[in-house]
Amino acid sequence: MSVLVLLIFISLLGFFFLLTRRQGVRHIGLREVETWKQLPNLIGAAVESGRRLHLSLGHGVLGQPDTATLLAGLNAVGQIATVTVVSDKPPVITTTDGATALLAQDLVRQAYRQQNAAEQYRDDVARVAGLSPLSFNGALTAVVRDEAVAGSIFIGSAGPEVVLLTEAGRQAGAPTFAGSDNIAGQAVLFAAADQTLLGEDVYSAGAYLGRMPAHIASLHTQDVMRWLIVGAMLVGILWTTVQALMG
Amino acid sequence: MAVLRCPHCGKPNPDFLDLCQYCEKPMKAAAASAGESKDLDRLRSSSADEGDVPDWLKTLTGDLSAQAAAPAEDMPNWLDTGTSTPAEGTGEALPDWLKSLGATGAMPFPPPPPSAPTEEMPDRLPEATPAQPAIGPQPSPISAEPESTEAELPDWLRKATGPLTTELAPPPPPPVRPVEPQPAEEIPDWLKRATGMLREKPVEPAMPLPAESEGLPDWLKAATGPLTTAFAPRETTPVPPPPPDVPGLEKGELPDWLRPMTGKLPAVEPAEAPARAPTAEEARPIVSEPSPAGVTAPPLLESEPDWLVTLREVPEELAEPEAGAVPTPPADLAQAELPSWLAAMRPVDVAPTGLDRETDDYMESVGVLKGLRGVLRAEPSVVLPGKSATNVHLLNYTDAQSRQAALLTKLVTVEAPAPTAQKRLALSAWPWERWLVAALLILSLVLALPFGRDAAGQEISGPFAGLFPLPRTAALEVVRAFETINALDAARPVLVAFDYEPGQAGEMTPLADVVVGHLIRRGLPIVAISTQVTGAGVAEDRLARLTGAARGRINDYVRGVHYINLGYLPGGPLGIRQLVGAPRSLARMGLPASGNLWETAPLLGSVQSFNDFSAVIVLSHTPDGARAWVEQTQGTTPRLVLATSAGAAPLVRPYFEGDGTRIAGFLGGPAAAMQYDTLGGNVLAVEQERAGWSRRWDMLGVGLLTMAVLLIFGNLIHGVRRSLAQAWRVKAR
Amino acid sequence: MRFSSPWNIILTAVAAGIGLVTLAGYFLADLLPTVSVLIAPLLTIGSLLAAVAVWAGAVNLLRIHISRLFSQPGGWYGIFVIIGFLFALVVGLLARGDAAPELVPAEALQIWVYQPVIAPVSASLSALLAVLLTLAGLRLLQRSLTPASVVFLLTAVVALVSLAPTLAGLPQAVTDLGGWIWAALSQVLAVGGGRGLLLGIALGIIAAGLRVLLVLDRPYGD
């Protein structure tokens, strides 16, 4: 029950930030994330060079714990696809999950429809590259090389095997911007990727790329909750210490 | 859309029309020269000094005069509009937007020669025709003034000025676009002498007259006034007066060529030649108000009504001045000067646009309305096929913009080709770093293996063999795992989750071998399952190998009786949740002919709920896999033993420390497997297998230490190189 | 909130409804037994859909490779994927999948596919992973020379040394010191940092889930 109360509290907090943002009561800025800041440059370079971008959703599967990461990745895919459909070549989206591939196709189709270019949409824009994490990342090396991508944007679940992608991008001269919800994957990406999203930054694509009010309100809610958790932990440590000292 | 100017009325027409849509006269005959001279006019009108060019552009492009002296091959195509021989090889280097700009763009010309004899004027003019390139290394003789071609002259004027072209300078044609007034200093002397007073631009009646247009002699005014009144269309080029020094032309006399005309005109007293500078009034265009006055067409029908006759015979004094005509003040009235405050309030938007008026002065040529102007046509122009005559494709730009575009063009055309990247040497292109790292790693691993056996049958050990002795102690969580499995009820099956891929078998196989081997040694029924697609194959492989190794020595395990592989469990945590909730509701395996596995397999007969399992062994390579089992099996009674990779261990350990009752044991990495083996859990604990484990242990230690050394030295080298490069850049700067 | 078609309204209602029912089943099982009854069939449907998604993914993979066979240079490599897919499919369908002690030939073939094909290929990729991870760490300071990268490098070196078995002949004090360092690193710093990151990730997951449940985010349609 306490978890339910916590969820309701977070929901109310999110609605509060959403309403205040919509009413313009207070405009809280977003902290700077270098990856999101550099991402438009990568997209612009890809569009201008006439090459396609590689967007990867990792080896997450809908319905599993990394569903939220998948949704964040799909959000980023939608935002980026809207921009890159004006390019000569559409982006190529890779995933391990068939359902996710269908969702990604739908997002890109929407982006084309919004740009009045629905006739240029092709179904092979989203593809299942492999069914297991290792085979998936191994297949991404071929995608980077064969599709001559201008860069890879990886937002999803990734383990240490994601180094196969970053190394392929390095060889092909295609930078890799990546974020993962996996701790080991983040460690590898920190060392191997050109830009890395750490921690919950991977969920902030909608706020930074799309400036969506709901997503920005979510970020503010997370910030508030983080400080509340930090405060609770400090209080707990203090209380435990005092109890120990008092015997 | 190209525009043709009618050679008769001077109005713009679409290029696909054969007849002028205003005067309905053929205009194709002179279309080419008229259209091309238009571009030339534009080019000429844009020539000006470089004062407006920004300094940065000057520095980039160098002297503009140098550009003029450049060979014609350097000129982009769009600059060759007026030439018939476009330069080759430059158009492709231009971007499309610049090419399109060039369609109407202008190019600064080199200044004309300081002077030229008047007699050369007629000869020089053809040089500007499309037959000869007007742009080239040679200085252009064309001045900044617009120039005329015969094709643009109406017929009547061509006839009238025919003799003048031989004796006098031809009048300038109407400009295609507004031209900024050029200071008189920029006009070369030869042209000044040649054109004299003719340099005035043809203007619309509503336009203010430039002061330079003054000087029309009275004699010509008097002579040409009635002429134009009688014959000229409304818009025409002013007839230039002869210069004072025209030979054989005395003051008050009409030239010979004009005399025959006067016979058809009302008698006009020849005026005296002006002894003073002509006033603005005098300098008004000679033909400014075409009026039907004086035009008396013979009646077509004898029964023509009187009102129509009356309409044709409108007295000249009653004829309304045309809209927009400048009223002429009486000569004896002094022009009042506006006070400054009132002058400041004068609207600025009434300034002449310089564009041709689109007033329809169509004159009916047939029927009872023949000879009348301004009548409605039987076919309005709007229903006539054709495109809009509005010259929409012309860009309005200033001379400064034109010059800057030209300089930009030069920047593009003369830009040095981008240096091509030097072909990398095969040695540097080769990924030697990757191969070096791989070679060092492989070498270190190989050196931990025995090289063979000597004559006595003893192994020849590698230099790194035996560096890392097998552990003799075990961690607490390993001991607890061992004790938990040792205490399990032999009658109840154990669920083993093989949640790792074949690629992770190198690290996970020792863990699986020691734990499952312990189960086999104890004779516990085993039910295998996997939430990984390829995990089912891993489970089948390990179970087959372990039961086979134990067969005849420890326990004889029979497939389907003592162990079974349920295969892949889809859905991840959802599937686990479903398994926990109702294990027998899981999808049937195999073909329908095989029946329901849960009913045919004796081993599964005792499993009615998840709590019928005595324990759950989770072999997971990732913390997520272990976490899913821990979280989804909450509230159940089977005890959990977690065996994870070394990388996942730090993140899984908190579960073990937080719920030590349900999570009965924890193994993290190959080291834990070795510790478990020391407790006697491995079913393969024969001497030969122990030697294999010892070698694997050595290889693990050597490999990890080699990696650490590579990281240290590699980063040292790269860090030093980076620092040196930075220091060199700073020094170079 | 705008919907481009009534179909999207239905999709949104279904997604939000199922999400709320599932959530309520977890938290209100005691108060609302009816809701908890609904959870089992929903989970079954979810598992089946997940299996169907795997099938859809396999078909997508096959389709992409077929389309690339003749359209791309080097696309002919896909012939191996197609052959492997069809082989595994036929063998899997022929396997009995029962509890008989002896394997039928199709089942033996399945194991044969695993042992000499899948396992070596995966092991090779894992070995390559080790090389590439070393290479990435080796270039760390070449890419960015920052305090964070230096700390990262030192931590990686300490972890590698600590994970290695104890060298023979090392003094006990050194071994104890190494053990203490590794324990502090893996059980204090790593766990603390990992928990902090996981808390942040959990907050992000909660926020993303709530956005979907409250129909503020609709990845399944516009």
Side-chain angles (χ1 to χ4, degrees):
Chain A
M1 187 59 72
S2 58
V3 179
L4 184 62
V5 172
L6 185 66
L7 285 180
I8 293 173
F9 176 71
I10 293 175
S11 303
L12 292 176
L13 202 59
F15 272 116
F16 167 75
F17 280 115
L18 187 60
L19 289 176
T20 53
R21 182 164 186 85
R22 284 188 174 164
Q23 294 175 0
V25 174
R26 190 179 176 193
H27 197 87
I28 307 173
L30 299 174
R31 68 184 168 84
E32 196 170 272
V33 178
E34 188 64 20
T35 304
W36 297 132
K37 189 179 166 187
Q38 296 292 336
L39 189 60
N41 296 335
L42 177 64
I43 297 173
V47 171
E48 289 196 10
S49 65
R51 291 193 291 169
R52 66 177 81 229
L53 271 178
H54 169 220
L55 312 176
S56 185
L57 296 166
H59 55 74
V61 177
L62 277 179
Q64 296 202 6
D66 37 24
T67 300
T69 316
L70 261 184
L71 295 181
L74 283 169
N75 204 299
V77 163
Q79 306 286 340
I80 296 169
T82 306
V83 180
T84 53
V85 292
V86 301
S87 174
D88 294 338
K89 290 187 176 179
V92 55
I93 303 164
T94 54
T95 177
T96 58
D97 185 29
T100 311
L102 295 176
L103 279 180
Q105 286 177 358
D106 190 48
L107 282 172
V108 179
R109 188 186 292 117
Q110 282 181 34
Y112 272 97
R113 210 163 41 218
Q114 287 168 2
Q115 303 289 336
N116 293 322
E119 69 282 356
Q120 296 178 16
Y121 168 77
R122 293 180 57 183
D123 275 340
D124 62 355
V125 69
R127 60 186 68 166
V128 174
L131 297 179
S132 66
L134 206 56
S135 64
F136 171 71
N137 283 281
L140 295 192
T141 61
V143 170
V144 169
R145 187 192 62 239
D146 294 346
E147 303 289 348
V149 300
S152 295
I153 301 168
F154 189 109
I155 297 176
S157 285
E161 58 276 353
V162 75
V163 75
L164 292 170
L165 169 66
T166 59
E167 182 63 19
R170 188 179 185 276
Q171 276 195 309
T176 303
F177 287 25
S180 171
D181 60 348
N182 186 296
I183 301 291
Q186 288 182 22
V188 171
L189 289 173
F190 180 82
D194 294 271
Q195 292 289 338
T196 313
L197 291 167
L198 295 176
E200 69 272 26
D201 285 345
V202 74
Y203 302 103
S204 59
Y208 282 91
L209 297 181
R211 297 281 162 185
M212 298 176 172
H215 288 248
I216 295 175
S218 290
L219 280 191
H220 294 326
T221 307
Q222 290 175 52
D223 288 340
V224 171
M225 287 304 301
R226 185 183 296 108
W227 285 113
L228 287 178
I229 290 173
V230 168
M233 289 172 74
L234 288 176
V235 169
I237 291 170
L238 203 63
W239 177 251
T240 308
T241 308
V242 169
Q243 272 192 327
L245 290 176
M246 297 292 288
Chain B
M1 180 188 70
V3 173
L4 288 180
R5 281 200 174 273
C6 175
H8 308 288
C9 65
K11 289 295 188 61
N13 287 278
D15 57 349
F16 56 81
L17 290 184
D18 293 326
L19 298 178
C20 173
Q21 60 183 347
Y22 296 100
C23 65
E24 296 186 338
K25 291 182 179 176
M27 56 180 183
K28 284 291 185 183
S33 59
E36 287 158 353
S37 65
K38 174 184 66 177
D39 293 325
L40 282 175
D41 292 339
R42 192 175 303 119
L43 292 175
R44 291 168 205 140
S45 63
S46 63
S47 66
D49 57 4
E50 295 182 51
D52 295 330
V53 181
D55 292 336
W56 63 270
L57 210 48
K58 281 181 186 172
T59 57
L60 282 176
T61 59
D63 192 10
L64 186 61
S65 58
Q67 174 198 357
E73 286 77 18
D74 290 338
M75 289 295 174
N77 286 345
W78 66 271
L79 284 179
D80 290 343
T81 315
T83 68
S84 59
T85 55
E88 293 180 2
T90 56
E92 291 177 1
L94 280 179
D96 291 340
W97 65 268
L98 208 48
K99 288 180 184 172
S100 61
L101 179 64
T104 55
M107 178 71 183
F109 271 72
S115 64
T118 308
E119 291 75 21
E120 291 180 12
M121 181 67 177
D123 295 334
R124 282 179 173 275
L125 282 178
E127 291 180 10
T129 62
Q132 298 181 17
I135 304 167
Q138 74 279 7
S140 170
I142 304 169
S143 73
E145 282 294 314
E147 194 148 351
S148 168
T149 59
E150 281 199 7
E152 288 184 298
L153 292 179
D155 291 338
W156 66 270
L157 195 55
R158 203 177 301 148
K159 292 174 188 172
T161 57
L164 285 178
T165 56
T166 57
E167 299 177 12
L168 306 175
V176 177
R177 55 183 287 270
V179 181
E180 294 179 8
Q182 300 294 324
E185 297 76 52
E186 293 184 7
I187 303 173
D189 296 334
W190 63 271
L191 195 56
K192 282 180 186 173
R193 284 202 301 275
T195 55
M197 305 300 177
L198 303 179
R199 290 191 301 108
E200 59 181 312
K201 297 183 181 69
V203 292
E204 294 293 335
M207 295 173 66
L209 295 170
E212 297 162 5
S213 64
E214 297 176 358
L216 190 65
D218 291 341
W219 61 269
L220 197 54
K221 257 193 287 183
T224 56
L227 168 71
T228 55
T229 305
F231 294 101
R234 187 180 62 80
E235 293 182 8
T236 182
T237 306
V239 177
D245 54 352
V246 175
L249 194 61
E250 296 295 330
K251 288 183 179 178
E253 273 189 39
L254 283 176
D256 292 336
W257 59 271
L258 208 51
R259 282 201 185 110
M261 298 180 188
T262 57
K264 301 174 186 176
L265 300 175
V268 176
E269 286 294 326
E272 288 185 6
R276 53 171 175 80
T279 63
E281 175 196 355
E282 292 166 337
R284 279 196 304 121
I286 299 167
V287 185
S288 61
E289 297 180 19
S291 169
V295 176
T296 308
L300 295 174
L301 300 172
E302 290 299 329
S303 58
E304 190 173 17
D306 293 342
W307 64 269
L308 198 52
V309 174
T310 309
L311 192 57
R312 298 188 194 282
E313 295 173 349
V314 178
E316 191 175 355
E317 62 271 18
L318 295 180
E320 290 182 6
E322 192 167 345
V326 178
T328 306
D332 55 349
L333 284 180
Q335 184 76 30
E337 284 191 2
L338 287 174
S340 59
W341 61 269
L342 192 55
M345 295 171 64
R346 181 183 296 170
V348 294
D349 55 350
V350 297
T353 60
L355 297 174
D356 293 331
R357 292 199 310 159
E358 299 298 335
T359 308
D360 187 3
D361 57 351
Y362 167 73
M363 186 172 68
E364 187 57 66
S365 59
V366 294
V368 296
L369 299 179
K370 183 176 182 181
L372 288 181
R373 291 184 182 277
V375 298
L376 294 176
R377 305 181 192 203
E379 284 183 303
S381 59
V382 293
V383 303
L384 293 175
K387 298 178 182 176
S388 169
T390 308
N391 218 356
V392 294
H393 73 292
L394 290 178
L395 291 175
N396 288 325
Y397 52 86
T398 64
D399 286 344
Q401 291 170 337
S402 166
R403 285 190 299 276
Q404 290 171 2
L407 291 178
L408 184 59
T409 306
K410 187 188 173 191
L411 280 178
V412 174
T413 53
V414 304
E415 187 177 18
T420 53
Q422 287 185 345
K423 202 171 184 179
R424 296 176 66 187
L425 294 175
L427 191 62
S428 61
W430 200 59
W432 60 270
E433 198 175 37
R434 182 192 299 187
W435 284 99
L436 181 65
V437 169
L440 288 175
L441 282 176
I442 293 172
L443 182 66
S444 66
L445 297 179
V446 167
L447 290 179
L449 293 173
F451 292 155
R453 294 183 181 276
D454 57 11
Q458 296 294 319
E459 278 188 348
I460 303 173
S461 300
F464 295 154
L467 273 181
F468 305 95
L470 288 170
R472 301 186 183 281
T473 58
L476 175 63
E477 62 267 19
V478 176
V479 174
R480 286 189 56 189
F482 181 84
E483 289 174 350
T484 300
I485 292 177
N486 231 9
L488 289 177
D489 183 4
R492 296 167 61 191
V494 177
L495 183 67
V496 182
F498 286 85
D499 280 357
Y500 63 91
E501 291 188 73
Q504 295 139 2
E507 187 177 10
M508 294 301 296
T509 296
L511 290 166
D513 284 356
V514 294
V515 176
V516 178
H518 192 191
L519 295 177
I520 292 175
R521 202 180 71 170
R522 284 212 57 219
L524 298 173
I526 299 172
V527 177
I529 201 167
S530 175
T531 60
Q532 303 284 323
V533 176
T534 50
V538 173
E540 193 71 38
D541 179 64
R542 290 327 298 168
L543 285 175
R545 289 177 71 93
L546 290 171
T547 55
R551 190 168 297 131
R553 289 199 300 127
I554 302 169
N555 274 317
D556 290 340
Y557 267 66
V558 179
R559 184 171 179 265
V561 179
H562 301 103
Y563 75 96
I564 195 168
N565 182 11
L566 292 180
Y568 172 55
L569 177 66
L574 275 182
I576 296 171
R577 186 70 186 173
Q578 192 187 9
L579 176 71
V580 169
R584 300 186 75 87
S585 69
L586 283 176
R588 298 176 181 179
M589 295 178 67
L591 296 173
S594 303
N596 189 346
L597 193 64
W598 289 88
E599 294 173 358
T600 56
L603 178 60
L604 296 176
S606 61
V607 179
Q608 298 299 322
S609 72
F610 190 77
N611 289 335
D612 291 333
F613 291 111
S614 61
V616 178
I617 314 292
V618 179
L619 301 163
S620 176
H621 188 264
T622 63
D624 294 338
R627 194 176 67 206
W629 281 100
V630 170
E631 290 175 351
Q632 300 302 328
T633 57
Q634 279 182 346
T636 60
T637 55
R639 308 186 77 180
L640 282 177
V641 175
L642 304 178
T644 68
S645 63
L651 295 171
V652 177
R653 178 180 290 277
Y655 290 103
F656 167 72
E657 293 174 346
D659 190 1
T661 305
R662 197 167 65 92
I663 303 173
F666 171 61
L667 286 81
M674 298 300 163
Q675 293 172 11
Y676 198 98
D677 185 61
T678 60
L679 300 174
N682 189 4
V683 70
L684 305 174
V686 293
E687 200 58 36
Q688 187 179 359
E689 289 295 330
R690 282 205 173 275
W693 279 57
S694 177
R695 286 197 290 269
R696 189 179 291 182
W697 192 241
D698 287 336
M699 291 169 74
L700 176 68
V702 171
L704 288 173
L705 290 184
T706 306
M707 282 184 180
V709 172
L710 283 175
L711 284 189
I712 293 171
F713 283 100
N715 279 288
L716 274 178
I717 293 171
H718 282 306
V720 169
R721 280 179 56 189
R722 181 188 171 98
S723 301
L724 286 177
Q726 281 182 344
W728 183 83
R729 278 197 295 270
V730 170
K731 190 177 178 182
R733 205 176 295 146
Chain C
M1 194 173 300
R2 291 179 290 107
F3 294 93
S4 61
S5 68
W7 175 244
N8 282 335
I9 299 177
I10 297 173
L11 283 179
T12 305
V14 169
I18 290 179
L20 287 173
V21 166
T22 308
L23 203 62
Y26 272 102
F27 295 117
L28 304 175
D30 298 335
L31 298 175
L32 299 170
T34 313
V35 175
S36 60
V37 170
L38 288 174
I39 288 181
L42 286 178
L43 289 177
T44 305
I45 292 172
S47 297
L48 283 175
L49 286 179
V52 170
V54 173
W55 174 249
V59 171
N60 180 289
L61 185 68
L62 192 68
R63 194 167 64 89
I64 294 293
H65 280 278
I66 290 175
S67 67
R68 285 161 45 102
L69 263 185
F70 305 107
S71 62
Q72 281 196 9
W76 65 272
Y77 289 119
I79 195 72
F80 295 110
V81 177
I82 297 166
I83 292 174
F85 176 85
L86 295 176
F87 179 79
L89 182 68
V90 171
V91 168
L93 288 174
L94 290 177
R96 290 183 310 192
D98 59 8
E102 298 301 324
L103 297 175
V104 297
E107 291 167 336
L109 267 179
Q110 272 187 317
I111 294 179
W112 183 84
V113 168
Y114 169 80
Q115 285 177 342
V117 180
I118 297 178
V121 168
S122 299
S124 301
L125 276 175
S126 294
L128 180 62
L129 213 60
V131 175
L132 295 183
L133 285 172
T134 308
L135 202 60
L138 190 144
R139 295 183 187 132
L140 186 62
L141 294 190
Q142 184 191 24
R143 287 163 33 80
S144 64
L145 187 54
T146 61
S149 54
V150 172
V151 170
F152 185 95
L153 176 66
L154 291 177
T155 308
V157 170
V158 170
L160 284 171
V161 172
S162 303
L163 280 173
T166 307
L167 271 171
L170 270 184
Q172 188 62 37
V174 175
T175 308
D176 292 344
L177 179 65
W180 183 84
I181 290 176
W182 174 238
L185 196 66
S186 64
Q187 298 178 24
V188 179
L189 294 177
V191 170
R195 280 190 178 181
L197 281 173
L198 286 176
L199 275 174
I201 290 173
L203 284 174
I205 291 173
I206 291 172
L210 284 176
R211 281 200 305 268
V212 174
L213 281 179
L214 302 174
V215 204
L216 295 170
D217 207 1
R218 284 172 292 158
Y220 36 79
D222 54 353

